[in-house]
Amino acid sequence: MTKPKIITTGGAGYIGSHTAVALQEAGFEVVLMDNLVNSSADVIHRIGRITGKEPLLELVDLCDEQATKNCFSKHSDAVGIIHFAALKAVGESVAQPTRYYRNNLVSMLHVLEAMHQHNIPNLIFSSSATVYGQPDVLPVTEQTPLQPAASPYGQTKQMNEVMIRDAVFAGELKRAISLRYFNPVGAHPTAIIGELPLGIPNNLMPFITQTAIGIRKELAVFGGDYDTIDGTAVRDYIHVMDLAEAHLGALQYQLNGSQSESYDVINLGTGLGSTVLEVIQSFEKVTGINLNYRIVDRRPGDVAAIYANVDKAARVLHWHTQRDLDEMTRSAWAWEKYARETLGL
Ligand code: NAD
Ligand code: UD1
């Protein structure tokens, strides 16, 4: 029997590679479409080592209209698309807004056009908690009003959600779900795949692991005077494998006909907030390493606290997170060591 085919755009990246593993293990054929602007082709070999089968990687820039059309024509039998492809660095988007608008909006447009042309019915989109800004009430539900985006990156996520919603409402696309991720961290339990940011990391977890392994001298903790339990900022960290499994749940929800709203939005987090110091304490506990860190001024643009209400994900996807903060820090560290010491990255 042929396996149902899923296209993952941006599938060679951090979240896409973990989702490819979950999809293959659940019996899907996975085709990755990626231009490798922030990833590397060798990830398909490493996915193959975990699952026993390498997914197909189509090298395509989704901003190239003709190349995208050609690629989708080859895979028009796909039953669903997961659209991960995007540029995602908040600070860089402030410095290079037109590059971000072009990449994240034009690629989305081409994916929607291709899905319409080939009647591919199901779309799952990688949105972000960034669309909520600093909400007035915590935890945030899917009904929490969106705030004006704080960066061009955040704008593209809000605009992408609108593009998808309008395509669904006009009947150009049968159904779609925007998944609003909170703070994805951690790595596959084998440590064969994980997150590998280029250059100096912006995000907390890779900065912690790079400091511990000696690539960075010291972690700067941004702000010790927030109105939180220990003065440092609160986020909802979610293990990337839990996130990958949520994509599987969302896809099955679409494929088995359960999706009642043709356009839906779902938060993906744990529902728990952790402070920066709690993340550091977890890292130190599971690794036995004393992390070199110092509390400095707040980072401009940061919100004090945000975490998700995840009742909807539990209700409609029958999905619950399985992995706690210690598992996130442990797997992030195992990956950092494997990437540096074994893969030589
Ligand atoms: P990533 O950079 O590791 O993966 C994105 C992939 O998209 C990369 O492999 C990149 O090469 C590819 N890509 C970018 N532009 C492309 C284009 N024009 N054509 C083809 N491929 C292209 O990022 P990730 O962390 O895996 O994030 C995946 C998605 O989730 C992104 O849309 C991101 O905005 C969103 N998201 C990520 C986080 C996070 O913390 N990682 C949080 C919220 C939302
Ligand atoms: C950031 C983005 C968000 C994006 C997410 C995932 C901003 C304002 N938001 O979220 O849009 O979806 O990344 O890519 O950039 N921290 C330190 N020291 C560091 C790094 C971070 O103390 O070196 C702190 C931050 O102040 C924050 C927490 O750690 O309180 C998490 O930061 P980070 O991992 O960058 O994620 P967010 O800022 O939540």
Side-chain angles (χ1 to χ4, degrees):
M1 208 179 82
T2 54
K3 295 179 173 183
K5 183 188 282 186
I6 304 298
I7 295 171
T8 61
T9 71
Y14 171 46
I15 302 169
S17 56
H18 290 79
T19 305
V21 169
L23 291 172
Q24 286 193 339
E25 287 177 343
F28 289 97
E29 179 190 347
V30 187
V31 175
L32 280 46
M33 293 188 186
D34 206 300
N35 66 353
L36 305 180
V37 66
N38 196 38
S39 50
S40 148
D42 77 272
V43 76
I44 58 168
H45 307 312
R46 290 185 277 122
I47 293 170
R49 279 177 54 203
I50 298 172
T51 63
K53 186 177 187 301
E54 290 188 4
L56 177 66
L57 171 62
E58 294 281 11
L59 277 178
V60 58
D61 182 349
L62 297 162
C63 292
D64 180 332
E65 186 175 3
Q66 196 53 51
T68 306
K69 275 189 175 156
N70 295 344
C71 205
F72 271 84
S73 296
K74 276 171 68 182
H75 299 291
S76 59
D77 54 338
V79 296
I81 315 280
I82 308 182
H83 184 55
F84 295 106
L87 296 174
K88 63 162 185 176
V90 175
E92 189 180 70
S93 81
V94 175
Q96 303 173 14
T98 52
R99 177 169 170 245
Y100 269 69
Y101 286 120
R102 168 168 292 281
N103 192 74
N104 293 0
L105 301 184
V106 175
S107 59
M108 179 85 255
L109 197 60
H110 290 161
V111 168
L112 289 173
E113 286 170 350
M115 292 184 75
H116 185 205
Q117 185 190 352
H118 296 292
N119 288 315
I120 301 174
N122 300 300
L123 175 66
I124 293 171
F125 170 61
S126 299
S127 190
S128 167
T130 196
V131 300
Y132 294 115
Q134 172 66 78
D136 297 330
V137 181
L138 291 174
V140 288
T141 74
E142 291 80 0
Q143 272 74 49
T144 298
L146 305 191
Q147 306 283 347
S151 69
Y153 166 73
Q155 286 280 8
T156 69
K157 290 296 171 194
Q158 291 191 352
M159 291 159 103
N160 279 168
E161 286 196 9
V162 171
M163 291 163 77
I164 296 167
R165 187 203 61 197
D166 288 351
V168 170
F169 287 173
E172 294 181 345
L173 175 61
K174 200 158 180 194
R175 57 184 92 79
I177 303 174
S178 291
L179 297 177
R180 293 180 179 156
Y181 313 156
F182 280 65
N183 287 59
V185 294
H188 191 269
T190 60
I192 294 173
I193 55 173
E195 181 180 19
L196 198 70
L198 300 174
I200 301 172
N202 296 304
N203 296 118
L204 178 64
M205 192 64 84
F207 212 108
I208 289 177
T209 56
Q210 290 195 11
T211 305
I213 211 159
I215 298 174
R216 312 280 154 214
K217 251 179 60 196
E218 175 184 76
L219 169 75
V221 173
F222 298 133
D225 59 350
Y226 286 109
D227 184 15
T228 61
I229 49 165
D230 59 22
T232 63
V234 169
R235 296 289 183 275
D236 187 341
Y237 298 93
I238 174 171
H239 196 295
V240 68
M241 290 307 300
D242 280 323
L243 194 59
E245 287 161 10
H247 288 77
L248 188 60
L251 196 59
Q252 282 161 344
Y253 175 61
Q254 293 187 317
L255 295 175
N256 69 21
S258 309
Q259 187 179 341
S260 46
E261 303 286 333
S262 51
Y263 176 68
D264 224 338
V265 175
I266 301 176
N267 285 343
L268 295 179
T270 60
L272 298 171
S274 302
T275 66
V276 177
L277 290 181
E278 285 172 333
V279 178
I280 294 171
Q281 280 151 15
S282 164
F283 181 83
E284 290 184 330
K285 184 180 73 180
V286 302
T287 63
I289 295 171
N290 273 334
L291 196 73
N292 189 24
Y293 71 87
R294 188 163 52 96
I295 296 179
V296 302
D297 288 347
R298 295 179 179 190
R299 181 171 67 177
D302 270 353
V303 300
I306 183 165
Y307 52 96
N309 175 309
V310 287
D311 292 352
K312 185 169 179 184
R315 193 175 69 249
V316 305
L317 305 182
H318 308 294
W319 166 88
H320 303 270
T321 55
Q322 310 279 340
R323 297 145 181 104
D324 64 9
L325 185 59
D326 288 349
E327 187 47 38
M328 301 180 210
T329 52
R330 184 183 296 114
S331 62
W333 178 235
W335 158 249
E336 182 75 54
K337 283 193 296 181
Y338 182 80
R340 306 298 172 188
E341 293 163 5
T342 306
L343 298 176
L345 297 172

